[in-house]
Amino acid sequence: MSIKIALAGNPNSGKTTMFNALTGANQFVGNWPGVTVEKKEGKLKGHKDVGIMDLPGIYSLSPYTLEEVVARNYLINDNPDVILNIVDGSNIERNLYLTTQLIELGIPVVVAVNMMDVVEKSGDTIDFGKLGKELGCEVVPVSALKGNGVKEAAEKAVKTAKRNSGVKILHSFDNRLEEWLSEIEKRIGINVPDEQKRFYAIKLFEGDNKIRNLMNIVPDVSDIVSKAEKELDDDAESIITDARYKYISSIIGGCYKKNKKKKLTASDKIDRVVTNRWLALPIFAVVMLIVYYVSVTTVGAWATDWANDGVFGEGWNLFGIWVPGIPVLLENLLNAIGTADWINSLILEGIVAGVGAVLGFVPQMLVLFIFLAFLEGCGYMARIAFIMDRIFRKFGLSGKSFIPMLIGSGCGVPGIMASRTIENDRDRKMTIMTTTFIPCGAKLPIIALIAGALFGGAWWVAPSAYFVGIAAIVVSGIILKKTKMFSGDPAPFVMELPQYHLPTVTNVLRSMWERGWSFIKKAGTIILLSTIVLWFLQGFGFEDGSFGMVEDLNNSVLAKIGGVIAPIFAPLGWGDWKAAVAAVTGLIAKENVVGTFGVLYGFGEVAEDGAEIWGSLAASYTAIAAYSFLVFNLLCAPCFAAIGAIKREMNSAKWTWFAIGYQTVFAYTAALAIYQIGNLFTGGEFGVWTVTALLIISAFIYLLFRPGKESNTLKVNRKVMRV
């Protein structure tokens, strides 16, 4: 008989770390049926018959967000055998709010008090035996980050599930509230199991209409609720919330002893600097500058050079032994077999040149992903969302909008999906439209290619690409918020600032590998197929009156197609058919931009001196034109997968096309202004397109500074909770 364990807890309580520790590699990720909230399932290590479901991080079982609805519906409808509730021990009082709701469900509960290393370091003490007795369930101390108590918590959960012992509800509210809830329980009658009557009674008291529809329970409790609200002079939901916290406070007093001599924590001291009103942004800029400098210009560049020149080039010297690169090995193998010329061309000039050009940048991406995983794991990225809230709120967005953008730095798809946590529909739509302005992992090869081939590996190119994305979001926020369809106050922003801590090497490497493997899989599927198609289109055409393989690329089918669309991009400085085709193929997958150049410029081939043929690319474009090309590809419509995510989240074809159109027009006008003005300052001629660029800049300035038709004074409280 299999056992189902539901892992539940607040965001930032260490739930994901706990899940990884319990399941190891025995897990898979998918979406909940009918919705796009990510779910993780896995098998408990050492127990083939024990499954673990990692529920979304939630603060309560009240259905305010999609995550809370999904978590509650799973617990009620799927009937897990036991709930393993992860509680942050450093802020136990707030975390126990969810615990009281989980206990009311009547499902066996085991509470794992996490972050005990932080609790012990602060000098606080918790009486777990007494706390368990008060709650009526098992309570286990855990430090998921260090692996302490993880196995014990899992074993307790398994044993509790096998006993199939429901939780006896020991907690109670004041006498008047108990009488009202008991009356509602009587009216519910036999419609729900006895062990769940308390949960349903409370939800009906709070006026939760969704819970009524869940099992067709529609008792008339309005008279009880009206009486309670009149007697206590408060709304029903606030009455329950206040009663919960009073109960939690009553049991915490005897179980949790705080260190009265506690000094300012290290996290507080660090935050005095990194979240300082004046220093926060410069520090953030320096941090990202270092991240991209190391990832793209130094360590990452050295690793990528080795991959491009060695693995996908002529070869490399390994402890005095010369190891041929993949192109050389394949060419020798094909010559030995005696394959046809077109097969040699397909493999060497198509697949190896295209896919190899993309995979050659994997080392840079892995270095970047290590940095991002470390910044997320140590708690700094949570501070960035808080810092950016200060800026975004002035432009009509809240820090909630920056969270999807942080996630989108790995991949735009989960970044877009993360926008669902924004309750305000207008803010959510605007966030979806601007999230992909942040360079994702797939755009890093484009940045690295332009920086290496056109700017000689200049240190400033990669960081500037990141800040161009930030600037595009800020400008878009100002402009769009002044329109009728996006006007209004931004959504309130409540977030947690976890204690700073060093993430484990395992968690950092796991995060790096998950992001990197996703990129590699795409190279082996979408990009592989794209390069084969590109190889055919650029290798075949009409030459000397007949269709077949061509010697001159300008006679190929691809050149003819590119020649039709190339004039559109001529004002941007890169109006040749090769660049135009590369930009269009980037809609399939952004990595295709590099793969296309790899096929068209022969990155897979090796010159006589062993160097990559990047010179031909550098000779085709000026530095200004190359930067214009970079900006356009960073800001224009994202890949097909991200467009699909936009369609799912917008749930409207009209809004999806509007988002794609806005992104593309914004990218085109920005790239046009950069090239035309930059070209003017570097000795170019003054012409019609220069005038157009000046008009575009003037229009941007007007839209930025004009008063909004429905401007509101933004007086939204920003609340930060320390965990």
Side-chain angles (χ1 to χ4, degrees):
M1 179 181 177
S2 61
I3 294 174
K4 292 190 296 184
I5 299 176
L7 210 60
N10 290 181
N12 288 325
S13 62
K15 190 166 57 65
T16 300
T17 304
M18 186 80 166
F19 177 74
N20 291 336
L22 292 174
T23 60
N26 305 315
Q27 56 184 264
F28 62 92
V29 180
N31 286 329
W32 298 92
V35 295
T36 50
V37 175
E38 185 181 271
K39 68 174 179 179
K40 288 186 178 181
E41 297 180 65
K43 293 290 185 182
L44 179 63
K45 288 190 291 187
H47 296 76
K48 293 182 180 180
D49 61 338
V50 179
I52 299 179
M53 174 65 74
D54 185 18
L55 298 179
I58 55 175
Y59 292 106
S60 75
L61 294 179
S62 300
Y64 295 123
T65 66
L66 187 56
E67 286 85 352
E68 290 173 342
V69 172
V70 165
R72 190 180 71 179
N73 288 354
Y74 175 82
L75 292 172
I76 293 176
N77 297 332
D78 289 66
N79 298 315
D81 298 291
V82 63
I83 299 173
L84 184 55
N85 177 212
I86 312 303
V87 170
D88 178 5
S90 64
N91 202 336
I92 193 168
E93 186 171 356
R94 182 179 56 75
N95 278 237
L96 286 178
Y97 187 90
L98 175 63
T99 305
T100 60
Q101 292 183 314
L102 295 175
I103 290 173
E104 288 159 3
L105 285 169
I107 301 171
V109 175
V110 172
V111 176
V113 182
N114 193 23
M115 301 189 186
M116 285 306 301
D117 52 329
V118 177
V119 175
E120 292 168 359
K121 188 176 181 180
S122 65
D124 298 342
T125 57
I126 301 175
D127 187 333
F128 299 103
K130 192 170 184 179
L131 180 60
K133 185 177 180 181
E134 293 284 358
L135 293 175
C137 61
E138 296 276 3
V139 178
V140 186
V142 167
S143 177
L145 191 65
K146 296 185 176 181
N148 299 332
V150 173
K151 185 177 179 180
E152 290 79 0
E155 294 296 339
K156 288 278 188 183
V158 172
K159 289 179 181 178
T160 301
K162 288 181 177 178
R163 288 199 304 267
N164 197 25
S165 57
V167 178
K168 182 181 178 182
I169 301 175
L170 299 182
H171 75 268
S172 60
F173 303 127
D174 63 55
N175 294 333
R176 287 175 299 176
L177 184 53
E178 283 294 323
E179 290 176 5
W180 294 325
L181 293 176
S182 296
E183 181 62 30
I184 295 176
E185 288 180 20
K186 292 177 183 178
R187 296 190 187 186
I188 291 174
I190 61 173
N191 291 307
V192 296
D194 289 340
E195 62 269 17
Q196 291 186 357
K197 283 186 177 180
R198 170 55 67 91
F199 174 78
Y200 279 94
I202 291 174
K203 287 300 163 190
L204 290 170
F205 184 87
E206 291 177 323
D208 188 344
N209 290 323
K210 292 184 179 180
I211 205 71
R212 299 187 182 192
N213 299 329
L214 199 59
M215 294 183 67
N216 297 319
I217 302 170
V218 195
D220 183 11
V221 298
S222 58
D223 55 331
I224 298 176
V225 175
S226 297
K227 181 180 179 181
E229 290 179 333
K230 184 177 181 180
E231 187 170 335
L232 298 180
D233 192 24
D234 207 345
D235 63 274
E237 191 172 5
S238 297
I239 292 171
I240 293 293
T241 301
D242 181 62
R244 285 194 196 284
Y245 278 116
K246 283 181 178 177
Y247 164 72
I248 294 170
S249 297
S250 69
I251 65 171
I252 282 292
C255 305
Y256 182 48
K257 301 297 182 184
K258 287 189 176 183
N259 180 10
K260 296 182 179 180
K261 298 180 179 180
K262 187 188 297 184
K263 298 180 180 179
L264 203 63
T265 65
S267 292
D268 292 329
K269 293 176 182 177
I270 296 172
D271 280 341
R272 284 188 170 182
V273 179
V274 300
T275 61
N276 180 274
R277 181 175 296 275
W278 305 109
L279 296 177
L281 283 178
I283 291 174
F284 172 54
V286 170
V287 168
M288 297 312 297
L289 185 69
I290 293 172
V291 167
Y292 276 91
Y293 178 74
V294 175
S295 302
V296 179
T297 309
T298 56
V299 176
W302 300 333
T304 290
D305 288 344
W306 169 80
N308 285 328
D309 298 338
V311 179
F312 297 104
E314 190 175 88
W316 71 98
N317 193 312
L318 181 64
F319 303 113
I321 302 174
W322 182 256
V323 180
I326 291 176
V328 176
L329 289 173
L330 285 176
E331 185 174 10
N332 293 337
L333 177 62
L334 294 173
N335 289 335
I337 296 174
T339 53
D341 290 342
W342 70 270
I343 294 180
N344 293 352
S345 176
L346 169 62
I347 295 175
L348 297 175
E349 298 173 15
I351 297 175
V352 174
V355 177
V358 174
L359 292 180
F361 291 99
V362 167
Q364 283 179 321
M365 297 182 65
L366 295 181
V367 174
L368 174 64
F369 291 157
I370 285 177
F371 273 108
L372 293 178
F374 179 83
L375 293 175
E376 290 169 1
C378 73
Y380 180 68
M381 281 303 192
R383 271 76 180 176
I384 297 304
F386 167 66
I387 292 165
M388 295 306 296
D389 179 64
R390 295 174 181 170
I391 300 175
F392 278 21
R393 191 160 297 281
K394 295 178 181 178
F395 306 134
L397 287 172
S398 76
K400 278 190 175 182
S401 297
F402 193 67
I403 294 173
M405 297 164 194
L406 288 176
I407 298 172
S409 61
C411 176
V413 173
I416 293 167
M417 291 168 61
S419 64
R420 69 174 62 92
T421 59
I422 303 172
E423 297 89 350
N424 186 295
D425 184 63
R426 291 170 299 187
D427 288 358
R428 187 174 58 82
K429 283 185 169 69
M430 190 158 66
T431 301
I432 292 171
M433 290 172 55
T434 56
T435 289
T436 54
F437 284 157
I438 293 290
C440 64
K443 295 176 183 177
L444 185 64
I446 307 174
I447 298 171
L449 175 65
I450 298 299
L454 278 302
F455 291 92
W459 64 270
W460 57 270
V461 176
S464 72
Y466 185 85
F467 292 114
V468 163
I470 295 289
I473 292 168
V474 170
V475 169
S476 295
I478 297 173
I479 293 175
L480 293 175
K481 265 296 180 178
K482 292 180 179 180
T483 63
K484 186 176 181 179
M485 57 185 172
F486 289 109
S487 62
D489 292 342
F493 184 46
V494 180
M495 72 166 301
E496 302 176 32
L497 295 184
Q499 296 284 336
Y500 284 107
H501 59 272
L502 286 175
T504 63
V505 175
T506 302
N507 286 339
V508 171
L509 292 180
R510 183 194 298 272
S511 177
M512 176 208 71
W513 176 245
E514 286 177 352
R515 290 171 169 173
W517 179 239
S518 176
F519 177 84
I520 293 170
K521 284 191 296 185
K522 191 186 293 185
T525 52
I526 298 174
I527 298 172
L528 174 61
L529 179 61
S530 301
T531 54
I532 292 174
V533 173
L534 285 170
W535 167 82
F536 174 79
L537 293 176
Q538 65 89 30
F540 288 80
F542 288 93
E543 198 170 57
D544 297 329
S546 62
F547 184 83
M549 293 191 71
V550 297
E551 294 186 4
D552 186 353
L553 283 180
N554 293 312
N555 295 325
S556 67
V557 175
L558 192 62
K560 302 304 180 185
I561 297 173
V564 174
I565 60 177
I568 299 174
F569 302 106
L572 278 58
W574 37 280
D576 70 313
W577 67 269
K578 294 181 180 180
V581 167
V584 172
T585 58
L587 290 175
I588 302 172
K590 287 301 176 182
E591 305 93 324
N592 269 340
V593 174
V594 175
T596 302
F597 278 137
V599 173
L600 298 179
Y601 285 93
F603 289 178
E605 301 175 4
V606 178
E608 293 181 1
D609 60 356
E612 269 191 296
I613 307 175
W614 280 18
S616 58
L617 178 63
S620 301
Y621 311 100
T622 64
I624 298 297
Y627 200 78
S628 166
F629 179 83
L630 174 62
V631 169
F632 178 82
N633 281 279
L634 291 177
L635 303 181
C636 75
C639 64
F640 283 173
I643 291 174
I646 292 175
K647 174 63 171 64
R648 289 194 300 271
E649 296 301 320
M650 291 285 200
N651 197 27
S652 166
K654 182 179 70 174
W655 272 104
T656 301
W657 282 111
F658 179 77
I660 295 170
Y662 176 81
Q663 293 166 339
T664 304
V665 171
F666 188 94
Y668 190 93
T669 53
L672 175 66
I674 288 173
Y675 175 71
Q676 293 296 334
I677 302 303
N679 191 47
L680 182 65
F681 279 100
T682 54
E685 296 181 359
F686 189 93
V688 175
W689 288 111
T690 311
V691 175
T692 305
L694 292 173
L695 291 175
I696 289 172
I697 294 173
S698 300
F700 267 110
I701 294 173
Y702 168 73
L703 292 172
L704 286 171
F705 291 99
R706 76 183 180 97
K709 291 182 180 180
E710 298 184 19
S711 60
N712 296 311
T713 303
L714 303 180
K715 295 182 179 179
V716 182
N717 293 328
R718 301 165 68 243
K719 187 177 179 182
V720 178
M721 295 182 290
R722 171 78 61 195
V723 266

